[in-house]
Amino acid sequence: MKIRILNFAPALFACALAACSDNLVPNYNAGSVSELENSPTPTSLATAAQGMLYTTRTDMEFYTVILGSMGREGYSLIPSDAGWQNNLSTMNSSFYSSSFTGWKEHYRDIRQGNSVLHALDKVTGLTDAEKEGYRGYVKTMQAMDFMIILNTRWDNGAPVDVD
């Protein structure tokens, strides 16, 4: 039995090495930035615009629950998450720093919107009304991202030239 295993060991090693040689799989759910900048299509614009909505919605849990709890306008009633009550009562700073993902998602969203706005001049296959619809949508989502950034920074202000 040991001899058979030793005979197959090099073959198994070669198969494992060949299987791990190229494991980079492109993200088929999101368009690439180079495609959006160089040769945008209506599909890549739609994907980028939908991504802006996703980014804004995923961070709303922090915005409403944590900030609402800190300001005492809201309270999390999720029974499986008892850490809220303990961390809120002790004002555990590590809890807030680990829960708050920062402003990077919102700034990334704003920059993605800028890429969409720049790509609208290059894209073919869209009417002028559709392009204006994209412009209005992107600027609305960017305004919402700036509002979230400014509301969480209070009087400190925020950089707004992020192009």
Side-chain angles (χ1 to χ4, degrees):
M1 184 69 145
K2 288 183 183 180
I3 296 173
R4 286 186 185 173
I5 292 174
L6 290 177
N7 289 339
F8 289 114
L12 289 174
F13 179 73
C15 288
L17 191 62
C20 297
S21 64
D22 186 23
N23 58 359
L24 296 176
V25 178
N27 184 358
Y28 293 111
N29 294 324
S32 67
V33 176
S34 63
E35 178 189 359
L36 193 61
E37 291 176 352
N38 299 328
S39 58
T41 62
T43 304
S44 64
L45 284 175
T47 302
Q50 290 167 2
M52 291 180 70
L53 180 64
Y54 173 77
T55 302
T56 303
R57 286 190 174 179
T58 55
D59 201 41
M60 289 308 287
E61 177 185 359
F62 167 78
Y63 187 71
T64 55
V65 176
I66 293 181
L67 291 180
S69 299
M70 288 174 70
R72 297 200 173 92
E73 294 99 10
Y75 191 77
S76 177
L77 298 175
I78 303 170
S80 62
D81 195 6
W84 278 98
Q85 291 78 20
N86 296 334
N87 289 312
L88 286 173
S89 62
T90 60
M91 292 303 283
N92 184 351
S93 62
S94 65
F95 170 72
Y96 292 108
S97 63
S98 66
S99 300
F100 180 55
T101 57
W103 300 282
K104 67 180 181 201
E105 287 88 4
H106 297 290
Y107 278 116
R108 184 175 51 218
D109 208 24
I110 292 165
R111 291 199 62 186
Q112 184 170 340
N114 289 339
S115 297
V116 171
L117 292 175
H118 295 312
L120 282 174
D121 299 330
K122 300 176 187 176
V123 71
T124 58
L126 290 177
T127 66
D128 289 338
E130 289 173 330
K131 289 181 181 181
E132 287 303 313
Y134 271 107
R135 282 188 185 92
Y137 171 79
V138 167
K139 289 181 180 182
T140 301
M141 297 308 294
Q142 286 178 326
M144 188 169 173
D145 286 319
F146 276 126
M147 180 195 69
I148 291 170
I149 292 167
L150 290 171
N151 283 346
T152 55
R153 292 181 54 90
W154 295 280
D155 294 333
N156 295 327
V160 293
D161 186 17
V162 294
D163 196 12

